[in-house]
Amino acid sequence: MSKLPEKLPAEEDANWTYHQPTEGILSLLPSSWVPYVELTRFHKPVGIVVIYLPYLLGALFGATIQSTPTSPSTTILAASNLLAASVVLRSAGCTWNDVVDYKFDQQVARCRLRPVARGAVSPRNGTVFFLVQMGLWLAALRFIHPHSLYAAAPVVPLVLCYPYAKRVTDYPQLVLGITLAWGIFPGSVVTGIDLTRIWRDNALVAIGLWSLFVAYVTWTLVYDTIYAFQDIQDDVTSGVRSMAIIWRHKAKTLLALLAFVQIAALCATGWSVDAGLGFIMQQQNGTHTKPRCRILIIGGGLAGLATAIAVMLAGHEAIIFERMPELKEIGAGIQCPPNATILFKRWGILEEIQEQAIEPQERIMRSYRGTTVLTQRTGPLIKDAYGVPYLLVHRAALHKALVQKAQRLGVGINLGCDIANTDFDFSGCQIRLANGDVFEGDLIVGADGERSITREKLLGYHDPLHSSGDLIFRVRVPGKALAQHCDFAVFAKPGLTNYWMGPDSHAVSYMMKQDDWLNVVVTVPQDAAEPVTYGVQKAEIADLVAKLDHWDPEFIKLLGLAQGCAKWTLLQSTENQTWIHPDRTFLLIGDSAHAMPPYL
């Protein structure tokens, strides 16, 4: 085997003489800038691909495995930001590699004219330049997504260690593969994956993500081992270690094995997200076997809108038919437990709703006589257990967020529909509106509330709601009024929920974020002589107080500060034998299916 000379050829040898660039981007720069740009390899952009690809794969994986896939605009923005960060990281890695390896580079024909090796940049200046670039990269990640910075933290020591790997191990390509492939994790964080909870929330998704990581590592081993063969003679002479050297007599066997592992890892990734082991073939021939269904939804309330959003995000079509001339929600506060907020997170609207909501941090259970029974810190417990908060939000704010999300997704919304005079053909999965318009679909969903017309269409007879035996009073107390009474100031504390428990009755209070009002809801038995009310009716505080005999005088005094009071009968429907049509083309959801008291 021939060896390189121990010393560099004479400077007059044209093959080893550096010439200032006369074309390309480098020729346009001041001569003092050229060595630093050469360090970044910015003028050789092909290498950016191997840095950027894992970040892009992670982002796309995170965007597509969500039950509510990330919108294309959000994914494109994330991919663009990650590309910018990848350019900086690639530049920093090249700079550090040249600083550490400049003595080796002087002995390798392909590398000896690099800036540090030829003396154009000192190792010290190169190190400072590297630190600046790493700082920019970390700042870029922090800007893109706060958690992506933590996910990318292991990349820093890996980048620092890689140039030394060729001195201490025959497998420096493995260190490089791990360094590059780690970008999959911060990339996935940007589009919604929580790495701190992934194994608990969905182990299959975790398996898919790590399988993708293994696939990229093995791909790097394949191409970088092949790449190292061009320097094998120089590497042996200079003492550089690599897989190309140790496996040079069995290279084909090694590369075939690595390729097999890569394909197996990709198949595991596809299997973990229900793509199946045949997903690679399906991608190659361009087939798409998933059917696209049209879902007709009767009712544009919370249940109807949520259904439409889920349908659209699953890749189907949703059309809403609402009897009201405009979409709006009446009422006051609504409690959103984690099984709801986790959907908001997947749908990409949690932050929007949180801006209008209060996150309960503490609850106090009280006897109707005024004594405290239990105090519990709820906020941190719930968020730690489920990864999402428990929220209190005004119904109108929640409804608005759902409407806007549905509109962004392209849900068809028909307002002012005369549902009472609409013909339903369940067998043919068809509806004919009173104006004569006909719509056909694959499924009809009845989501028109407790006084549901679609429920009666399913049953085939009139099925009126009946009283549950309870009456609901809603009282609104201004925050300013609470502040003027020292004893009641505690009730204005954001995030505090109070409960009072009494004989056959109970009450709950919490602040509403939008208008600085304390919302107090009291449930009491309804007298047999009282008429059943369908809908909200104006009420007097005196009527409520009369039903709270022997209750804590301080609670009664709190009610006296109210500037508004309403009441309604808590209605419930007769339990149906089924919520689904025999032809399985129609179903009921929400209050249409099971209007009932919100307690056991």
Side-chain angles (χ1 to χ4, degrees):
M1 180 182 294
S2 61
K3 296 185 178 181
L4 290 175
E6 293 183 3
K7 297 182 179 180
L8 295 179
E11 191 67 26
E12 59 269 14
D13 187 337
N15 290 329
W16 312 119
T17 301
Y18 178 79
H19 299 282
Q20 190 73 13
T22 57
E23 59 183 20
I25 188 173
L26 294 181
S27 65
L28 304 176
L29 300 175
S31 59
S32 59
W33 291 18
V34 171
Y36 290 94
V37 177
E38 287 179 330
L39 276 178
T40 68
R41 312 285 202 279
F42 187 75
H43 58 300
K44 298 179 179 180
V46 175
I48 296 173
V49 175
V50 297
I51 298 286
Y52 175 54
L53 188 55
Y55 288 88
L56 178 62
L57 290 174
L60 294 176
F61 183 88
T64 55
I65 59 90
Q66 308 288 345
S67 59
T68 71
T70 308
S71 67
S73 59
T74 301
T75 304
I76 292 172
L77 178 61
S80 302
N81 290 334
L82 289 170
L83 174 59
S86 298
V87 171
V88 178
L89 178 61
R90 190 257 184 156
S91 300
C94 291
T95 300
W96 181 244
N97 191 73
D98 284 9
V99 169
V100 175
D101 282 350
Y102 78 95
K103 291 184 179 180
F104 282 118
D105 289 345
Q106 290 172 347
Q107 302 179 59
V108 178
R110 185 174 53 86
C111 307
R112 60 186 53 169
L113 293 182
R114 288 176 176 175
V116 182
R118 71 173 189 265
V121 176
S122 69
R124 179 182 178 182
N125 288 346
T127 300
V128 172
F129 188 46
F130 162 73
L131 293 175
V132 170
Q133 292 176 92
M134 288 299 291
L136 290 174
W137 175 66
L138 293 172
L141 286 179
R142 179 65 178 82
F143 170 78
I144 294 170
H145 194 287
H147 293 166
S148 67
L149 181 61
Y150 309 124
V155 172
V156 177
L158 288 169
V159 168
L160 292 173
C161 292
Y162 169 64
Y164 297 99
K166 64 189 70 174
R167 294 164 169 79
V168 298
T169 177
D170 293 319
Y171 294 89
Q173 284 80 11
L174 179 60
V175 179
L176 177 64
I178 294 173
T179 304
L180 297 178
W182 198 270
I184 288 170
F185 300 113
S188 68
V189 168
V190 172
T191 48
I193 290 183
D194 185 351
L195 296 178
T196 63
R197 299 179 53 85
I198 187 172
W199 284 104
R200 186 192 308 179
D201 292 346
N202 194 329
L204 281 179
V205 170
I207 291 172
L209 196 62
W210 278 99
S211 297
L212 191 60
F213 171 80
V214 171
Y216 201 86
V217 170
T218 52
W219 182 62
T220 304
L221 293 177
V222 170
Y223 76 73
D224 202 57
T225 299
I226 296 173
Y227 184 67
F229 268 93
Q230 68 179 318
D231 296 328
I232 193 168
Q233 182 176 337
D234 292 348
D235 287 347
V236 170
T237 302
S238 59
V240 172
R241 302 166 68 176
S242 77
M243 290 175 63
I245 295 173
I246 193 173
W247 286 90
R248 60 186 179 276
H249 300 304
K250 297 182 179 180
K252 292 183 178 179
T253 301
L254 171 66
L255 296 176
L257 178 62
L258 291 174
F260 174 79
V261 173
Q262 179 192 359
I263 293 172
L266 288 173
C267 289
T269 300
W271 167 80
S272 70
V273 295
D274 292 330
L277 291 178
F279 84 103
I280 298 178
M281 296 177 61
Q282 291 181 8
Q283 293 299 320
Q284 289 175 341
N285 63 30
T287 60
H288 183 73
T289 59
K290 183 177 180 179
R292 177 175 172 84
C293 301
R294 170 183 277 194
I295 313 300
L296 310 180
I297 301 170
I298 313 302
L302 299 180
L305 286 166
T307 301
I309 291 170
V311 164
M312 293 293 291
L313 290 172
H316 305 292
E317 180 185 4
I319 305 177
I320 289 176
F321 302 88
E322 167 60 40
R323 66 181 181 86
M324 299 296 292
E326 61 178 319
L327 284 175
K328 62 180 181 178
E329 180 65 47
I330 61 174
I334 184 171
Q335 302 188 45
C336 301
N339 58 338
T341 55
I342 197 170
L343 291 178
F344 300 157
K345 181 179 179 180
R346 292 172 183 170
W347 295 346
I349 58 174
L350 178 58
E351 292 184 0
E352 177 184 349
I353 294 172
Q354 279 183 291
E355 292 177 356
Q356 305 295 325
I358 288 178
E359 183 177 346
Q361 298 296 318
E362 182 180 8
R363 74 171 91 186
I364 300 178
M365 308 288 289
R366 308 171 187 270
S367 163
Y368 73 104
R369 298 182 184 275
T371 57
T372 298
V373 178
L374 173 68
T375 299
Q376 184 180 34
R377 293 281 297 172
T378 56
L381 294 176
I382 291 175
K383 207 162 188 177
D384 289 345
Y386 302 106
V388 288
Y390 193 114
L391 298 179
L392 296 173
V393 64
H394 198 287
R395 281 179 173 269
L398 175 58
H399 190 264
K400 181 180 179 180
L402 293 175
V403 169
Q404 292 176 342
K405 180 64 177 181
Q407 290 173 334
R408 289 195 296 269
L409 291 173
V411 173
I413 300 177
N414 298 273
L415 302 176
C417 300
D418 186 357
I419 303 300
N421 293 306
T422 295
D423 293 329
F424 290 85
D425 178 7
F426 294 136
S427 297
C429 203
Q430 183 184 95
I431 64 173
R432 180 185 296 273
L433 300 178
N435 63 5
D437 291 343
V438 177
F439 293 85
E440 295 183 354
D442 299 285
L443 178 68
I444 302 173
V445 177
D448 51 334
E450 59 182 12
R451 286 180 281 176
S452 172
I453 294 172
T454 59
R455 183 177 64 247
E456 295 186 345
K457 298 285 187 180
L458 173 65
L459 295 175
Y461 55 83
H462 183 50
D463 182 40
L465 297 171
H466 58 275
S467 173
S468 64
D470 284 331
L471 196 62
I472 305 294
F473 283 84
R474 184 176 67 235
V475 175
R476 301 180 75 214
V477 181
K480 292 182 180 179
L482 295 173
Q484 295 172 1
H485 294 77
C486 296
D487 294 339
F488 297 148
V490 65
F491 296 120
K493 180 181 177 182
L496 174 63
T497 306
N498 292 277
Y499 300 86
W500 290 265
M501 301 171 289
D504 298 320
S505 55
H506 62 272
V508 60
S509 75
Y510 48 85
M511 290 295 296
M512 297 302 300
K513 187 172 184 177
Q514 287 78 6
D515 45 18
D516 193 35
W517 287 79
L518 180 70
N519 193 47
V520 185
V521 180
V522 185
T523 303
V524 295
Q526 185 172 25
D527 297 336
E530 290 183 281
V532 174
T533 60
Y534 294 87
V536 179
Q537 308 289 326
K538 185 177 179 180
E540 300 295 333
I541 292 293
D543 297 336
L544 172 58
V545 171
K547 294 178 176 293
L548 299 177
D549 193 24
H550 304 303
W551 274 59
D552 178 19
E554 290 299 309
F555 181 73
I556 302 301
K557 184 178 177 181
L558 172 66
L559 297 178
L561 301 177
Q563 292 188 5
C565 182
K567 69 176 181 179
W568 64 92
T569 300
L570 186 58
L571 302 171
Q572 63 183 23
S573 59
T574 304
E575 184 176 354
N576 295 347
Q577 293 297 318
T578 181
W579 301 333
I580 303 173
H581 191 270
D583 292 336
R584 311 189 76 79
T585 54
F586 172 83
L587 60 85
L588 296 168
I589 63 170
D591 284 343
S592 300
H594 45 66
M596 64 177 116
Y599 52 81
L600 299 177

